[in-house]
Amino acid sequence: MTSSTSNHSILVVLFSFLFILKTSSSFGNLLSTNGFLPFAHKHVVVINKLTTHAKLIAHCKNKGKDLGVKELSPGASFDFRFHVNLRKTTRYTCTFEWPGNKVTFDIFSVDRDDTPKSEFGVCRECIWYIYEPAPCRVDQHAGMSYCFDWNS
């Protein structure tokens, strides 16, 4: 009888904790921004900052979702939202085109953007400026940008 009562109590505590975790935005956001939980909510923003003021064509996708082709005038942006998968292997790759150029870049990679040990930190809102020489992720909290090489 005691074992049954204690198992029931454990289940009640476990379900209560899971309910609070699921419904409490502040608690969930605190943990997910640090990259500790799978299913962390992410918001990626891509902004055309080409210095030539050319139109930027962006086509982003991951293994299961194609976000379509976006045409961005100078200074224009597009965004998308998603959750990091359970295995923490989520990756979105974009092809960017402007006159005379076609390059690709992993606009979101768990290893770089959702790992607390990453030298670039975890981003919950990943803001990217697309320049001709490099894509740059803006860290609003630190007031700095990190620029990366194109994949190709």
Side-chain angles (χ1 to χ4, degrees), residues 33-48:
T33 58
N34 290 331
F36 291 117
L37 291 179
F39 310 119
H41 178 79
K42 298 296 175 181
H43 180 212
V44 173
V45 180
V46 177
I47 303 168
N48 177 357

Side-chain angles (χ1 to χ4, degrees), residues 4-78:
S4 174
T5 304
S6 101
N7 286 344
H8 178 70
S9 297
I10 291 171
L11 285 175
V12 168
V13 169
L14 178 62
F15 283 119
S16 298
F17 174 74
L18 291 174
F19 177 76
I20 290 168
L21 182 63
K22 179 71 176 162
T23 58
S24 172
S25 61
S26 61
F27 183 65
N29 288 343
L30 175 66
L31 290 176
S32 65
T33 58
N34 290 331
F36 291 117
L37 291 179
F39 310 119
H41 178 79
K42 298 296 175 181
H43 180 212
V44 173
V45 180
V46 177
I47 303 168
N48 177 357
K49 292 286 191 174
L50 297 175
T51 58
T52 58
H53 302 288
K55 183 187 298 183
L56 178 68
I57 308 296
H59 184 196
C60 301
K61 57 187 172 180
N62 72 6
K63 285 183 181 179
K65 187 169 189 176
D66 188 329
L67 301 175
V69 176
K70 312 292 184 194
E71 291 189 19
L72 303 175
S73 299
S77 66
F78 84 96

Side-chain angles (χ1 to χ4, degrees), residues 98-119:
W98 62 91
N101 294 280
K102 184 174 183 178
V103 294
T104 61
F105 181 70
D106 293 334
I107 207 75
F108 181 86
S109 170
V110 169
D111 292 342
R112 180 192 62 225
D113 302 313
D114 195 48
T115 303
K117 293 181 181 178
S118 166
E119 65 181 288

Side-chain angles (χ1 to χ4, degrees), residues 114-132:
D114 195 48
T115 303
K117 293 181 181 178
S118 166
E119 65 181 288
F120 310 109
V122 172
C123 66
R124 182 165 184 259
E125 184 169 59
C126 308
I127 300 171
W128 288 93
Y129 289 170
I130 305 302
Y131 297 105
E132 289 89 344

